[in-house]
Amino acid sequence: MRPLLLRAGELTPIEKAERRVLVLANPGHGLDKMQASAAIYLGMQLLLPGEWAPSHRHTPNAVRMIVEGDGAYTTVDGEKLPMQRGDLILTPTGLWHEHGHDGNAPVVWLDVLDLPLVHYLEASYHVDGPRQQVRPGHGDAVYARGGVLPTPMGERSNKAYPLLRYPWGQARAALQALAADQPDLQAVQVRYVNPETGADAQNILGYSALMLRPGQTLTLPVRSPAMVFHLIEGAARVQVDDQGFALAEADTCCAPGYTPVTLTNRSTDLPAFLFIADEAPLHRKLGVFEIRG
Ligand code: GTQ
């Protein structure tokens, strides 16, 4: 996809595109539907140095998983959030967001949205807005230590989305600490959560990071939600039923629900790190979540 995305950068000025995205559309759903699964939209977005993707807000929830490049940032609800490889940035429903780039090489990220579901519900709309005023400080700094929360005068923030940026360095360190602490643990996985409540970071789609130890093969329990796998670091194989995908860094693949999935680290020397998006929060809320051992 990378050469195609860079070609899109040559052909399409950002002023015309507003967002320059190649959509990872599942032909099984119909290419024009622009969906990877029933509830998941995936896109690879390119921002070139100096470009500006103007402010808007919309009802579908989005996250960005940064794939490559330095110097870009997203401003969400007045918080200027740096984008570095592997970072997860939330742009939850209704919050203003815009993207800028002060670096000198292309920046690419994976957009994950619950757009297909919100569109199906006839609840999808979007509003353009003026450039945001940036507030001082970064939300992620105050939630950077597990187990302690900012509690001015004993009060919680009670924000629906208190944390908007999950730096990769911290998620990666948490996975390595977990793997070192529990050598027999099979699924070395951490979930992206609301740090105030411990609930899923967003209401519809769930996000996690998983580490495969060198040479490890991990068979996932068969579950009802569809899943997306994006390789942040290393080399992996994703076996979905009878189809296998060899993932290199920055590759993405999907698995439908109710399907056996086996993950293998293709390196016997180095760990592999995957970002996973799934429809589990939605399935649980609707009462259709199933796990089959
Ligand atoms: O960056 O705001 O891939 O609004 C689709 C819709 C990205 C964005 C997408 C969006 C955006």
Side-chain angles (χ1 to χ4, degrees):
M1 290 190 73
R2 191 174 184 281
L4 291 173
L5 200 49
L6 293 176
R7 183 87 179 112
E10 291 165 12
L11 294 173
T12 313
I14 195 75
E15 296 75 22
K16 280 197 182 166
E18 210 171 298
R19 299 291 190 268
R20 189 191 292 111
V21 177
L22 291 186
V23 176
L24 285 69
N26 177 344
H29 279 280
L31 285 177
D32 55 324
K33 292 271 173 49
M34 295 203 303
Q35 57 193 99
S37 74
I40 303 176
Y41 158 103
L42 294 176
M44 277 287 177
Q45 184 162 169
L46 171 71
L47 203 62
L48 295 171
E51 286 187 336
W52 182 255
S55 192
H56 69 193
R57 61 185 176 87
H58 39 70
T59 44
N61 295 275
V63 300
R64 332 277 162 196
M65 167 49 53
I66 318 309
V67 177
E68 79 170 60
D70 282 306
Y73 55 88
T74 292
T75 303
V76 184
D77 194 26
E79 239 177 69
K80 186 173 172 180
L81 308 164
M83 303 174 105
Q84 272 149 13
R85 197 171 81 93
D87 289 352
L88 183 72
I89 293 180
L90 309 188
T91 50
T93 180
L95 298 192
W96 293 106
H97 55 281
E98 60 201 84
H99 315 299
H101 188 357
D102 294 335
N104 46 33
V107 164
V108 176
W109 63 81
L110 177 68
D111 291 313
V112 187
L113 282 81
D114 51 25
L115 176 63
L117 177 76
V118 179
H119 176 77
Y120 174 74
L121 296 174
E122 301 180 356
S124 181
Y125 68 91
H126 112 275
V127 182
D128 292 323
R131 206 161 169 136
Q132 298 171 69
Q133 290 283 341
V134 174
R135 283 186 275 109
H138 291 297
D140 63 88
V142 301
Y143 291 102
R145 300 279 178 264
V148 287
L149 291 172
T151 313
M153 302 300 184
E155 296 302 320
R156 292 181 176 200
S157 81
N158 281 327
K159 281 185 171 179
Y161 306 98
L163 182 57
L164 297 172
R165 173 173 183 257
Y166 298 75
W168 173 233
Q170 287 177 26
R172 192 181 189 282
L175 287 166
Q176 287 189 303
L178 182 57
D181 189 63
Q182 300 185 32
D184 297 331
L185 182 66
Q186 280 297 302
V188 181
Q189 188 170 15
V190 293
R191 209 154 44 89
Y192 293 95
V193 298
N194 175 329
E196 298 259 346
T197 64
D200 292 302
Q202 291 188 340
N203 283 313
I204 295 173
L205 302 182
Y207 303 102
S208 64
L210 185 141
M211 178 182 137
L212 294 170
R213 300 172 199 268
Q216 183 183 1
T217 290
L218 176 67
T219 297
L220 304 181
V222 173
R223 306 184 324 155
S224 51
M227 305 179 86
V228 171
F229 300 94
H230 173 80
L231 190 68
I232 298 176
E233 190 183 320
R237 183 179 166 82
V238 180
Q239 185 72 33
V240 180
D241 238 344
D242 58 356
Q243 287 188 69
F245 306 103
L247 299 193
E249 284 177 10
D251 287 351
T252 304
C253 71
C254 303
Y258 305 99
T259 309
V261 175
T262 299
L263 307 174
T264 303
N265 185 345
R266 296 193 287 130
S267 168
T268 51
D269 304 317
L270 297 170
F273 295 94
L274 291 149
F275 169 66
I276 300 176
D278 70 19
E279 301 166 332
L282 174 66
H283 279 218
R284 289 183 203 278
K285 289 185 176 91
L286 295 180
V288 298
F289 183 84
E290 268 188 71
I291 186 161
R292 298 180 178 169

